[in-house]
């Protein structure tokens, strides 16, 4: 898929939903610079140039140890999700690849095999900005919607299968909202697959403190949390099969020279004690 980037400069206002896109976007840029062997998102750096926003606070924070570990988390999480999507595409090459809560994430194109259909879903104001900065390419559609309003299901051509992924999204949903969405997806997309990152309650609180205080955005709550995904989520529906892997070390041993021994130690804590994980839900015809 050809890279499509607008040259228009877009101003981001303080204390808006759009501002919440800036932190992960900047994080993906730093990830690419700091951990190039683990994750590369060249689009992030290009988008940063096209956004009218004061990044000085983020640049200052990025030099701190725990923020650098946070960027490692972003790099590993994106790499894990990409692996899961590509695994599904190996057996379903013409599947729909659906980015839930896409923001300015370019993951769909990064997974493009030349045959799949790519859908990027988010709130209307976010999609409006995405259309200006990342207009949809061939076999791609930017869909404005509320994920909890499942009318968006009708937009997805799943005749070749469907793989859904959500990166850093479900922390801001109530547990009942995630449950309802998963159950409806299982009904609508049999043989589909959903992958997303999750963690226990303590990790959710840390995520809010670390990533959101810089932007001074208030009233953003992290409600969905999970410790043992298979045990806790399997009972949601008889049409799902649940599995999970630690997302820091479950896919990569992080022996890359760019990752310090201290960060590998923190990664073990994240996976084992904060239950940072990639949850995989396979839908079936049961």
């Amino acid at each position: 898929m050809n890279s499509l980037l607008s040259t228009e400069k877009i101003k981001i206002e303080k204390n808006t939903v759009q501002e919440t896109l800036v932190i992960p976007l900047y994080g993906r840029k730093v990830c690419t610079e700091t951990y190039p062997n683990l994750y590369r998102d060249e689009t992030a750096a290009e988008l940063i140039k096209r956004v009218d926003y004061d990044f000085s606070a983020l640049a200052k924070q990025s030099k701190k140890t725990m923020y650098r570990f946070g960027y490692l988390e972003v790099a590993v999480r994106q790499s894990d999700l990409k692996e899961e999507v590509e695994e599904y595409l190996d057996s379903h090459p013409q599947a729909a690849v659906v980015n839930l809560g896409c923001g300015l994430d370019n993951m769909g194109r990064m997974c493009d095999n030349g045959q799949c259909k790519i859908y990027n879903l988010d709130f209307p104001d976010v999609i409006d900005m995405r259309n200006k900065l990342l207009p949809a390419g061939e076999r791609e559609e930017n869909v404005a919607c509320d994920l909890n309003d499942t009318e968006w299901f009708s937009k997805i051509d799943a005749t070749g299968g469907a793989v859904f992924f959500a990166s850093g999204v479900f922390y801001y949903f109530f547990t009942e909202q995630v449950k309802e969405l998963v159950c409806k997806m299982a009904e609508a997309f049999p043989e589909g697959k959903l992958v997303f990152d999750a963690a226990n309650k303590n990790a959710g609180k840390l995520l809010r403190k670390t990533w959101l205080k810089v932007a001074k955005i208030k009233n953003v709550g992290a409600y969905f949390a999970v410790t043992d995904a298979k045990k806790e989520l399997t009972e949601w529906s008889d049409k799902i099969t649940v599995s999970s892997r630690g997302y820091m070390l479950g896919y990569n041993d992080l022996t890359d020279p760019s990752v310090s021994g201290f960060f590998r130690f923190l990664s073990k804590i994240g996976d084992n004690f904060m239950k940072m994980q990639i949850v995989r839900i396979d839908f079936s015809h049961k």
Side-chain angles (χ1 to χ4, degrees):
M1 181 173 292
N2 296 329
S3 176
L4 297 173
L5 290 173
S6 169
T7 57
E8 180 183 357
K9 197 83 168 179
I10 304 297
K11 183 172 180 59
I12 304 296
E13 300 292 345
K14 288 288 186 180
N15 300 315
T16 63
V17 173
Q18 292 178 345
E19 189 182 25
T20 64
L21 308 177
V22 169
I23 297 173
L25 177 64
Y26 187 82
R28 291 194 294 273
K29 170 182 176 292
V30 175
C31 289
T32 300
E33 296 168 347
T34 310
Y35 309 106
N37 295 330
L38 299 177
Y39 174 74
R40 299 191 66 82
D41 184 352
E42 306 297 346
T43 302
E46 290 298 317
L47 290 179
I48 290 290
K49 298 175 184 178
R50 291 171 170 80
V51 172
D52 181 4
Y53 182 85
D54 183 3
F55 289 97
S56 59
L58 291 173
K60 182 178 180 180
Q61 294 285 9
S62 69
K63 301 181 187 305
K64 297 181 179 180
T65 298
M66 292 311 296
Y67 274 80
R68 294 182 72 81
F69 179 68
Y71 293 132
L72 175 63
E73 289 179 26
V74 172
V76 174
R77 178 181 69 193
Q78 297 298 99
S79 177
D80 296 348
L81 293 173
K82 183 172 183 287
E83 180 175 328
E84 290 284 357
V85 171
E86 290 176 338
E87 179 192 76
Y88 187 85
L89 288 176
D90 284 343
S91 57
H92 301 78
Q94 295 183 326
V97 175
V98 187
N99 189 346
L100 304 175
C102 61
L104 295 173
D105 187 343
N106 201 34
M107 179 74 79
R109 294 183 192 177
M110 293 169 67
C111 297
D112 185 26
N113 62 0
Q115 301 180 62
C116 64
K117 299 172 286 290
I118 299 170
Y119 299 88
N120 305 299
L121 279 57
D122 216 316
F123 289 116
D125 54 348
V126 175
I127 292 298
D128 180 61
M129 186 167 72
R130 185 181 180 93
N131 285 335
K132 294 174 182 176
L133 289 169
L134 272 173
E138 57 179 328
R139 292 177 286 102
E140 183 178 23
E141 184 175 351
N142 294 334
V143 180
C145 66
D146 180 339
L147 293 179
N148 290 306
D149 181 352
T150 54
E151 287 188 9
W152 62 264
F153 285 6
S154 64
K155 300 282 189 178
I156 309 302
D157 178 1
T159 52
V163 56
F164 304 83
F165 65 95
S167 178
V169 172
F170 290 151
Y171 302 103
Y172 309 110
F173 281 47
F174 290 111
T175 298
E176 284 303 311
Q177 289 177 315
V178 179
K179 178 180 178 179
E180 183 176 359
L181 179 60
V182 167
C183 291
K184 288 181 178 180
M185 289 175 70
E187 293 284 348
F189 303 102
E191 306 306 324
K193 171 179 174 181
L194 167 66
V195 287
F196 58 90
D197 57 306
N200 65 18
K201 291 181 179 179
N202 290 332
K205 292 177 182 177
L206 181 63
L207 180 142
R208 280 183 294 166
K209 180 183 294 185
T210 302
W211 291 107
L212 299 179
K213 70 178 182 181
V214 176
K216 297 182 175 60
I217 299 168
K218 303 184 185 302
N219 299 321
V220 180
Y223 307 110
F224 173 69
V226 62
T227 297
D228 184 334
K230 184 175 182 179
K231 180 179 179 181
E232 297 171 35
L233 308 187
T234 297
E235 63 183 27
W236 284 2
S237 170
D238 63 359
K239 295 185 177 182
I240 65 174
T241 301
V242 182
S243 60
S244 67
R245 293 159 71 177
Y247 87 59
M248 292 306 297
L249 294 165
Y251 294 77
N252 191 312
D253 60 12
L254 295 185
T255 55
D256 188 88
S258 64
V259 182
S260 68
F262 178 56
F263 279 4
R264 283 191 288 275
F265 170 72
L266 290 180
S267 296
K268 290 181 181 178
I269 292 176
D271 283 0
N272 296 329
F273 296 100
M274 306 186 81
K275 301 302 179 183
M276 295 164 59
Q277 59 198 284
I278 298 296
V279 178
R280 168 177 171 167
I281 299 179
D282 292 286
F283 306 135
S284 70
H285 281 292
K286 291 180 181 177

